[in-house]
Short mmCIF file of all heavy atoms in Angstrom, two decimals:
data_model
loop_
_atom_site.label_atom_id
_atom_site.label_comp_id
_atom_site.label_asym_id
_atom_site.label_seq_id
_atom_site.Cartn_x
_atom_site.Cartn_y
_atom_site.Cartn_z
N ALA A 1275 29.28 -6.31 12.22
CA ALA A 1275 28.46 -5.11 12.44
C ALA A 1275 29.35 -3.87 12.49
O ALA A 1275 29.01 -2.82 11.94
CB ALA A 1275 27.65 -5.25 13.73
N HIS A 1276 30.51 -4.02 13.12
CA HIS A 1276 31.46 -2.90 13.17
C HIS A 1276 31.99 -2.58 11.78
O HIS A 1276 32.11 -1.42 11.40
CB HIS A 1276 32.63 -3.22 14.12
CG HIS A 1276 32.29 -3.00 15.56
ND1 HIS A 1276 31.44 -3.82 16.26
CD2 HIS A 1276 32.69 -2.05 16.44
CE1 HIS A 1276 31.33 -3.38 17.50
NE2 HIS A 1276 32.07 -2.29 17.64
N ARG A 1277 32.32 -3.63 11.01
CA ARG A 1277 32.83 -3.39 9.66
C ARG A 1277 31.77 -2.70 8.80
O ARG A 1277 32.06 -1.75 8.07
CB ARG A 1277 33.25 -4.72 9.01
CG ARG A 1277 34.54 -5.27 9.59
CD ARG A 1277 34.98 -6.54 8.86
NE ARG A 1277 35.33 -6.30 7.47
CZ ARG A 1277 36.55 -6.01 7.03
NH1 ARG A 1277 37.55 -5.94 7.89
NH2 ARG A 1277 36.78 -5.83 5.75
N LYS A 1278 30.55 -3.18 8.91
CA LYS A 1278 29.47 -2.60 8.12
C LYS A 1278 29.30 -1.12 8.45
O LYS A 1278 29.12 -0.30 7.55
CB LYS A 1278 28.17 -3.36 8.44
CG LYS A 1278 27.39 -3.74 7.20
CD LYS A 1278 26.30 -4.72 7.56
CE LYS A 1278 24.95 -4.19 7.10
NZ LYS A 1278 23.86 -5.08 7.52
N ALA A 1279 29.38 -0.80 9.75
CA ALA A 1279 29.20 0.60 10.17
C ALA A 1279 30.32 1.48 9.60
O ALA A 1279 30.11 2.67 9.37
CB ALA A 1279 29.18 0.68 11.69
N ARG A 1280 31.48 0.87 9.34
CA ARG A 1280 32.58 1.64 8.76
C ARG A 1280 32.52 1.63 7.23
O ARG A 1280 33.43 2.13 6.57
CB ARG A 1280 33.93 1.03 9.19
CG ARG A 1280 34.26 1.24 10.67
CD ARG A 1280 35.72 0.94 10.95
NE ARG A 1280 36.06 -0.46 10.70
CZ ARG A 1280 36.12 -1.40 11.66
NH1 ARG A 1280 35.87 -1.08 12.91
NH2 ARG A 1280 36.44 -2.64 11.37
N GLY A 1281 31.50 0.99 6.68
CA GLY A 1281 31.37 0.90 5.23
C GLY A 1281 32.28 -0.14 4.61
O GLY A 1281 32.55 -0.11 3.41
N GLU A 1282 32.73 -1.09 5.43
CA GLU A 1282 33.58 -2.16 4.89
C GLU A 1282 32.74 -3.43 4.66
O GLU A 1282 31.70 -3.61 5.26
CB GLU A 1282 34.71 -2.49 5.89
CG GLU A 1282 35.66 -1.33 6.12
CD GLU A 1282 36.54 -1.51 7.35
OE1 GLU A 1282 36.54 -2.62 7.94
OE2 GLU A 1282 37.21 -0.54 7.74
N ASP A 1283 33.26 -4.30 3.80
CA ASP A 1283 32.55 -5.55 3.53
C ASP A 1283 32.64 -6.47 4.74
O ASP A 1283 33.64 -6.46 5.47
CB ASP A 1283 33.19 -6.28 2.34
CG ASP A 1283 32.83 -5.57 1.03
OD1 ASP A 1283 31.85 -4.80 1.04
OD2 ASP A 1283 33.54 -5.80 0.03
N GLU A 1284 31.59 -7.28 4.91
CA GLU A 1284 31.65 -8.27 5.98
C GLU A 1284 32.67 -9.35 5.60
O GLU A 1284 32.89 -9.59 4.42
CB GLU A 1284 30.26 -8.91 6.15
CG GLU A 1284 29.22 -7.90 6.56
CD GLU A 1284 27.87 -8.52 6.93
OE1 GLU A 1284 27.80 -9.76 7.00
OE2 GLU A 1284 26.92 -7.75 7.14
N ILE A 1285 33.30 -9.95 6.59
CA ILE A 1285 34.25 -11.00 6.24
C ILE A 1285 33.61 -12.36 6.47
O ILE A 1285 32.69 -12.51 7.27
CB ILE A 1285 35.60 -10.89 7.00
CG1 ILE A 1285 35.44 -11.18 8.49
CG2 ILE A 1285 36.23 -9.52 6.79
CD1 ILE A 1285 36.77 -11.37 9.18
N ASP A 1286 34.08 -13.35 5.72
CA ASP A 1286 33.42 -14.64 5.79
C ASP A 1286 33.93 -15.47 6.96
O ASP A 1286 34.85 -15.09 7.68
CB ASP A 1286 33.54 -15.39 4.45
CG ASP A 1286 34.97 -15.81 4.15
OD1 ASP A 1286 35.80 -15.85 5.09
OD2 ASP A 1286 35.26 -16.09 2.99
N VAL A 1287 33.29 -16.61 7.12
CA VAL A 1287 33.55 -17.48 8.27
C VAL A 1287 35.03 -17.89 8.37
O VAL A 1287 35.60 -17.94 9.45
CB VAL A 1287 32.65 -18.73 8.15
CG1 VAL A 1287 32.90 -19.70 9.29
CG2 VAL A 1287 31.18 -18.32 8.12
N PHE A 1288 35.64 -18.16 7.19
CA PHE A 1288 37.00 -18.70 7.21
C PHE A 1288 38.01 -17.62 7.60
O PHE A 1288 38.88 -17.83 8.45
CB PHE A 1288 37.35 -19.29 5.83
CG PHE A 1288 36.34 -20.30 5.40
CD1 PHE A 1288 35.39 -19.99 4.43
CD2 PHE A 1288 36.31 -21.56 5.99
CE1 PHE A 1288 34.43 -20.92 4.06
CE2 PHE A 1288 35.36 -22.50 5.62
CZ PHE A 1288 34.42 -22.18 4.65
N ASP A 1289 37.87 -16.45 6.98
CA ASP A 1289 38.77 -15.35 7.35
C ASP A 1289 38.58 -14.97 8.80
O ASP A 1289 39.53 -14.65 9.51
CB ASP A 1289 38.49 -14.12 6.46
CG ASP A 1289 38.99 -14.34 5.04
OD1 ASP A 1289 39.83 -15.25 4.87
OD2 ASP A 1289 38.53 -13.63 4.12
N PHE A 1290 37.33 -15.04 9.23
CA PHE A 1290 37.07 -14.67 10.62
C PHE A 1290 37.74 -15.65 11.58
O PHE A 1290 38.32 -15.25 12.59
CB PHE A 1290 35.57 -14.59 10.92
CG PHE A 1290 35.31 -14.22 12.35
CD1 PHE A 1290 35.47 -12.91 12.77
CD2 PHE A 1290 34.99 -15.19 13.29
CE1 PHE A 1290 35.30 -12.56 14.10
CE2 PHE A 1290 34.81 -14.85 14.63
CZ PHE A 1290 34.98 -13.54 15.02
N ASP A 1291 37.67 -16.93 11.24
CA ASP A 1291 38.28 -17.94 12.12
C ASP A 1291 39.78 -17.69 12.29
O ASP A 1291 40.32 -17.81 13.39
CB ASP A 1291 38.03 -19.35 11.57
CG ASP A 1291 36.61 -19.80 11.86
OD1 ASP A 1291 35.91 -19.09 12.61
OD2 ASP A 1291 36.20 -20.85 11.35
N ASP A 1292 40.45 -17.35 11.19
CA ASP A 1292 41.89 -17.05 11.28
C ASP A 1292 42.12 -15.86 12.20
O ASP A 1292 43.02 -15.86 13.04
CB ASP A 1292 42.46 -16.73 9.89
CG ASP A 1292 42.40 -17.95 8.98
OD1 ASP A 1292 42.25 -19.07 9.52
OD2 ASP A 1292 42.49 -17.78 7.75
N LEU A 1293 41.29 -14.86 12.01
CA LEU A 1293 41.45 -13.62 12.76
C LEU A 1293 41.24 -13.86 14.26
O LEU A 1293 42.05 -13.45 15.10
CB LEU A 1293 40.42 -12.61 12.25
CG LEU A 1293 40.39 -11.26 12.94
CD1 LEU A 1293 41.54 -10.41 12.44
CD2 LEU A 1293 39.06 -10.55 12.66
N ILE A 1294 40.17 -14.55 14.60
CA ILE A 1294 39.83 -14.69 16.01
C ILE A 1294 40.83 -15.60 16.72
O ILE A 1294 41.17 -15.39 17.88
CB ILE A 1294 38.36 -15.18 16.20
CG1 ILE A 1294 37.92 -15.06 17.66
CG2 ILE A 1294 38.15 -16.60 15.73
CD1 ILE A 1294 37.82 -13.67 18.18
N GLU A 1295 41.32 -16.61 15.98
CA GLU A 1295 42.25 -17.51 16.64
C GLU A 1295 43.55 -16.80 17.00
O GLU A 1295 44.18 -17.10 18.01
CB GLU A 1295 42.42 -18.79 15.82
CG GLU A 1295 41.26 -19.72 16.20
CD GLU A 1295 41.05 -20.94 15.33
OE1 GLU A 1295 42.05 -21.46 14.83
OE2 GLU A 1295 39.89 -21.35 15.18
N ALA A 1296 43.91 -15.82 16.17
CA ALA A 1296 45.09 -15.03 16.49
C ALA A 1296 44.88 -14.16 17.74
O ALA A 1296 45.82 -13.88 18.48
CB ALA A 1296 45.45 -14.15 15.30
N LYS A 1297 43.63 -13.77 17.96
CA LYS A 1297 43.34 -12.89 19.10
C LYS A 1297 43.29 -13.66 20.43
O LYS A 1297 43.36 -13.05 21.50
CB LYS A 1297 41.99 -12.19 18.90
CG LYS A 1297 41.90 -11.33 17.67
CD LYS A 1297 42.53 -9.96 17.89
CE LYS A 1297 42.35 -9.10 16.65
NZ LYS A 1297 43.15 -7.87 16.72
N LEU A 1298 43.07 -14.96 20.34
CA LEU A 1298 42.90 -15.75 21.56
C LEU A 1298 44.10 -15.63 22.50
O LEU A 1298 43.95 -15.66 23.71
CB LEU A 1298 42.69 -17.23 21.21
CG LEU A 1298 41.33 -17.58 20.61
CD1 LEU A 1298 41.34 -19.01 20.08
CD2 LEU A 1298 40.22 -17.44 21.63
N ASP A 1299 45.28 -15.46 21.90
CA ASP A 1299 46.52 -15.36 22.67
C ASP A 1299 46.51 -14.19 23.66
O ASP A 1299 47.11 -14.28 24.73
CB ASP A 1299 47.70 -15.13 21.72
CG ASP A 1299 48.31 -16.47 21.36
OD1 ASP A 1299 47.84 -17.48 21.92
OD2 ASP A 1299 49.26 -16.48 20.55
N VAL A 1300 45.84 -13.11 23.26
CA VAL A 1300 45.82 -11.91 24.09
C VAL A 1300 45.33 -12.23 25.50
O VAL A 1300 45.83 -11.69 26.48
CB VAL A 1300 44.91 -10.82 23.45
CG1 VAL A 1300 44.77 -9.62 24.38
CG2 VAL A 1300 45.47 -10.41 22.10
N VAL A 1301 44.34 -13.13 25.57
CA VAL A 1301 43.80 -13.47 26.89
C VAL A 1301 44.06 -14.93 27.24
O VAL A 1301 43.44 -15.47 28.15
CB VAL A 1301 42.28 -13.18 26.97
CG1 VAL A 1301 42.05 -11.70 27.12
CG2 VAL A 1301 41.56 -13.72 25.75
N LYS A 1302 44.98 -15.56 26.49
CA LYS A 1302 45.35 -16.96 26.76
C LYS A 1302 44.11 -17.84 26.85
O LYS A 1302 43.90 -18.59 27.81
CB LYS A 1302 46.17 -17.07 28.05
CG LYS A 1302 47.44 -16.22 28.02
CD LYS A 1302 48.33 -16.53 29.22
CE LYS A 1302 49.69 -15.89 29.11
NZ LYS A 1302 49.66 -14.41 29.18
N MET A 1303 43.27 -17.72 25.85
CA MET A 1303 42.05 -18.52 25.84
C MET A 1303 42.22 -19.67 24.88
O MET A 1303 42.86 -19.56 23.84
CB MET A 1303 40.86 -17.67 25.41
CG MET A 1303 39.92 -17.36 26.56
SD MET A 1303 38.77 -16.08 26.11
CE MET A 1303 37.32 -17.03 25.79
N ASP A 1304 41.58 -20.80 25.23
CA ASP A 1304 41.61 -21.98 24.39
C ASP A 1304 40.56 -21.85 23.29
O ASP A 1304 39.48 -21.30 23.53
CB ASP A 1304 41.29 -23.19 25.27
CG ASP A 1304 41.59 -24.48 24.56
OD1 ASP A 1304 40.72 -24.92 23.76
OD2 ASP A 1304 42.68 -25.02 24.77
N ALA A 1305 40.87 -22.35 22.09
CA ALA A 1305 39.93 -22.22 20.97
C ALA A 1305 38.59 -22.90 21.27
O ALA A 1305 37.57 -22.55 20.67
CB ALA A 1305 40.54 -22.80 19.70
N ALA A 1306 38.61 -23.85 22.19
CA ALA A 1306 37.36 -24.55 22.53
C ALA A 1306 36.29 -23.59 23.06
O ALA A 1306 35.09 -23.84 22.92
CB ALA A 1306 37.63 -25.63 23.57
N PHE A 1307 36.73 -22.46 23.62
CA PHE A 1307 35.78 -21.47 24.12
C PHE A 1307 34.89 -20.92 23.02
O PHE A 1307 33.76 -20.52 23.26
CB PHE A 1307 36.52 -20.29 24.75
CG PHE A 1307 36.87 -20.51 26.18
CD1 PHE A 1307 38.13 -20.97 26.53
CD2 PHE A 1307 35.94 -20.29 27.17
CE1 PHE A 1307 38.45 -21.19 27.84
CE2 PHE A 1307 36.25 -20.51 28.48
CZ PHE A 1307 37.51 -20.96 28.83
N LEU A 1308 35.43 -20.89 21.82
CA LEU A 1308 34.69 -20.28 20.72
C LEU A 1308 33.43 -21.07 20.39
O LEU A 1308 32.47 -20.51 19.88
CB LEU A 1308 35.58 -20.18 19.48
CG LEU A 1308 36.80 -19.28 19.63
CD1 LEU A 1308 37.66 -19.34 18.38
CD2 LEU A 1308 36.36 -17.84 19.90
N ASP A 1309 33.46 -22.35 20.66
CA ASP A 1309 32.33 -23.17 20.26
C ASP A 1309 31.34 -23.40 21.39
O ASP A 1309 30.37 -24.12 21.22
CB ASP A 1309 32.83 -24.49 19.67
CG ASP A 1309 33.61 -24.22 18.39
OD1 ASP A 1309 33.11 -23.42 17.56
OD2 ASP A 1309 34.72 -24.73 18.24
N ARG A 1310 31.59 -22.79 22.52
CA ARG A 1310 30.59 -22.84 23.60
C ARG A 1310 29.64 -21.67 23.46
O ARG A 1310 29.94 -20.68 22.82
CB ARG A 1310 31.30 -22.81 24.95
CG ARG A 1310 32.05 -24.13 25.22
CD ARG A 1310 32.99 -24.02 26.38
NE ARG A 1310 32.29 -23.68 27.64
CZ ARG A 1310 32.93 -23.54 28.80
NH1 ARG A 1310 34.23 -23.70 28.88
NH2 ARG A 1310 32.25 -23.22 29.88
#
Side-chain angles (χ1 to χ4, degrees):
Chain A
H1276 279 72
R1277 287 184 65 91
K1278 227 168 125 184
R1280 290 194 296 262
E1282 296 165 9
D1283 287 341
E1284 298 188 8
I1285 69 168
D1286 67 19
V1287 178
F1288 306 104
D1289 288 341
F1290 179 76
D1291 282 352
D1292 294 342
L1293 178 78
I1294 191 66
E1295 276 168 33
K1297 300 279 183 191
L1298 287 170
D1299 267 357
V1300 174
V1301 284
K1302 302 189 170 67
M1303 252 167 102
D1304 192 278
F1307 274 97
L1308 296 176
D1309 296 314
R1310 289 167 60 180

